[in-house]
């Protein structure tokens, strides 16, 4: 009799819980802890989109081997605890977008070259000290390597002929490689908060629409930058600029370009006189 009383009491409690709006679903507590992970892998096998963001992962899920992920075109592994790019990711040869934002990654493996469909790569907020030159053999259109510990870019960066957006802000880069002028498709360049002293003249030949070199150590804007006809957004604050002087830079792009044009004419005039 006492046992049946206990059972009916439990049923009553469950019944009242279920009847209350916003009450937790009682069955959820019985799910295995990695059930959400399994569901994400099942969905990826069906949709081609792998979302493993915010799961405290230190490695690629071992149970992924039980699923066919060969057609995965998007992989989001952001906000985890990965110290390396998992080798399993480099086997997803159909990948077009890879998001590794906010992990603890220190190096990029050469095996990333197998991702020959990859057009968008987010490496932001990691622990990278350098980028491998093999990265420049990918068909990237968007590369974000901001908030790392980069001190330079690979000289082969000029091979990224399809690159349209490059974000290397918040690093420790002291100079841009000379071949950066070969990025003929580049529309947006963000080098904010680095240690740059000189801007390469080659950038003047690129179809840049947005250019941010704020928070660096640049004192001079090359006069050839007056040729940047497509430039719509120019961020340059927090630099020790002397040419153009700060009071002109504050007035904005039109005044800066006007100064550069006058300076170019002045230099030409003094050159003709000599």
């Amino acid at each position: 009799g006492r046992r049946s009383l206990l059972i009916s009491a439990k049923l009553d409690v469950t019944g009242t819980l279920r009847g209350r709006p916003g009450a937790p679903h009682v069955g959820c507590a019985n799910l295995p802890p990695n059930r959400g992970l399994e569901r994400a892998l099942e969905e990826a096998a069906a949709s081609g989109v792998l979302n493993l963001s915010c799961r405290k992962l230190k490695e690629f899920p071992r149970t992924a081997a039980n699923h066919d992920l060969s057609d995965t075109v998007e992989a989001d592994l952001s906000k985890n605890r990965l110290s390396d790019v998992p080798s399993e990711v480099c086997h997803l040869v159909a990948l077009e977008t890879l998001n590794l934002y906010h992990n603890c990654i220190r190096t990029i493996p050469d095996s990333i070259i197998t991702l020959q469909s990859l057009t968008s790569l987010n490496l932001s907020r990691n622990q990278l000290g350098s980028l491998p030159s093999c990265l420049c053999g990918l068909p990237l259109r968007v590369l974000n390597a901001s908030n790392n510990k980069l001190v330079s870019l690979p000289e082969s960066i000029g091979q990224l002929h399809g690159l349209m957006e490059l974000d290397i802000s918040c690093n420790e880069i002291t100079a841009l490689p000379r071949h950066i002028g070969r990025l003929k498709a580049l529309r947006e360049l963000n080098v904010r908060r680095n240690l740059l002293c000189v801007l390469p003249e080659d950038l003047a030949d690129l179809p840049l629409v947005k250019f941010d070199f704020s928070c660096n150590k640049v004192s001079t804007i090359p006069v050839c930058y007056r040729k940047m006809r497509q430039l719509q957004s120019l961020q340059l604050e927090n630099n020790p600029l002397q040419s153009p002087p700060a009071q002109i830079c504050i007035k904005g792009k039109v005044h800066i370009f006007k100064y550069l044009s006058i300076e170019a004419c002045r230099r030409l005039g003094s050159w003709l006189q000599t």
Side-chain angles (χ1 to χ4, degrees), residues 1-8:
R2 189 160 175 253
R3 190 160 174 269
S4 61
L5 270 171
L6 275 169
I7 289 169
S8 62

Side-chain angles (χ1 to χ4, degrees), residues 93-148:
V93 293
L95 267 191
E96 296 172 13
T97 300
L98 176 57
N99 187 357
L100 294 166
Y101 164 79
H102 213 310
N103 277 281
C104 313
I105 298 167
R106 295 181 183 279
T107 55
I108 304 296
D110 287 348
S111 53
I112 201 163
I113 194 68
T114 57
L115 303 181
Q116 283 299 312
S117 297
L118 197 68
T119 55
S120 178
L121 177 59
N122 189 344
L123 300 169
S124 178
R125 213 169 282 279
N126 278 285
Q127 305 286 322
L128 295 168
S130 64
L131 296 177
S133 56
C134 66
L135 209 60
C136 305
L138 297 175
L140 293 175
R141 290 195 201 123
V142 178
L143 174 58
N144 186 344
S146 64
N147 291 278
N148 278 283

Side-chain angles (χ1 to χ4, degrees), residues 4-271:
S4 61
L5 270 171
L6 275 169
I7 289 169
S8 62
K10 278 185 181 175
L11 283 171
D12 277 352
V13 170
T14 310
T16 53
L17 267 175
R18 281 189 176 156
R20 224 172 56 227
H25 179 54
V26 177
C28 287
N30 300 326
L31 280 176
N34 65 345
R35 180 69 194 117
L37 198 59
E38 281 303 296
R39 187 173 291 151
L41 293 167
E42 285 167 14
E43 286 175 5
S47 68
V49 178
L50 176 63
N51 187 349
L52 297 177
S53 181
C54 302
R55 292 182 185 272
K56 301 179 181 175
L57 298 175
K58 291 185 177 179
E59 60 180 15
F60 203 72
R62 294 183 182 179
T63 53
N66 304 329
H67 303 271
D68 181 9
L69 301 178
S70 58
D71 293 334
T72 307
V73 290
E74 279 182 44
D76 186 352
L77 293 155
S78 63
K79 298 183 181 176
N80 281 296
R81 297 172 184 173
L82 301 170
S83 55
D84 300 291
V85 178
S87 58
E88 294 90 342
V89 170
C90 297
H91 297 149
L92 304 177
V93 293
L95 267 191
E96 296 172 13
T97 300
L98 176 57
N99 187 357
L100 294 166
Y101 164 79
H102 213 310
N103 277 281
C104 313
I105 298 167
R106 295 181 183 279
T107 55
I108 304 296
D110 287 348
S111 53
I112 201 163
I113 194 68
T114 57
L115 303 181
Q116 283 299 312
S117 297
L118 197 68
T119 55
S120 178
L121 177 59
N122 189 344
L123 300 169
S124 178
R125 213 169 282 279
N126 278 285
Q127 305 286 322
L128 295 168
S130 64
L131 296 177
S133 56
C134 66
L135 209 60
C136 305
L138 297 175
L140 293 175
R141 290 195 201 123
V142 178
L143 174 58
N144 186 344
S146 64
N147 291 278
N148 278 283
K149 297 178 178 180
L150 301 177
V151 293
S152 64
L153 292 177
E155 278 294 334
S156 52
I157 191 99
Q159 292 171 18
L160 290 170
H161 300 301
L163 195 67
M164 299 176 75
E165 294 177 31
L166 177 60
D167 187 346
I168 45 171
S169 60
C170 305
N171 279 288
E172 297 157 30
I173 297 169
T174 53
L176 294 174
R178 54 199 173 98
H179 292 323
I180 200 161
R182 294 181 182 177
L183 300 176
K184 298 301 183 188
L186 200 65
R187 301 286 186 274
E188 297 183 21
L189 176 59
N190 190 344
V191 295
R192 183 179 181 274
R193 205 174 288 284
N194 275 283
L195 304 171
L196 298 175
C197 295
V198 177
L199 295 175
E201 294 196 353
D202 290 4
L203 289 183
D205 299 324
L206 302 184
L208 288 179
V209 176
K210 288 185 180 179
F211 183 29
D212 185 345
F213 67 91
S214 57
C215 307
N216 277 279
K217 298 181 176 183
V218 176
S219 60
T220 305
I221 299 177
V223 291
C224 58
Y225 278 27
R226 73 189 187 282
K227 296 187 288 184
M228 290 177 147
R229 302 273 179 239
Q230 288 171 274
L231 200 63
Q232 292 172 14
S233 172
L234 179 63
Q235 304 291 322
L236 44 66
E237 61 274 8
N238 293 316
N239 278 287
L241 281 162
Q242 293 170 13
S243 175
Q247 62 265 33
I248 286 179
C249 291
I250 288 167
K251 292 180 180 178
K253 182 172 71 85
V254 172
H255 292 268
I256 293 167
F257 277 42
K258 191 175 178 183
Y259 174 93
L260 295 177
S261 296
I262 292 168
E263 185 65 14
C265 291
R266 190 187 65 75
R267 288 184 191 181
L268 180 63
S270 60
W271 178 75

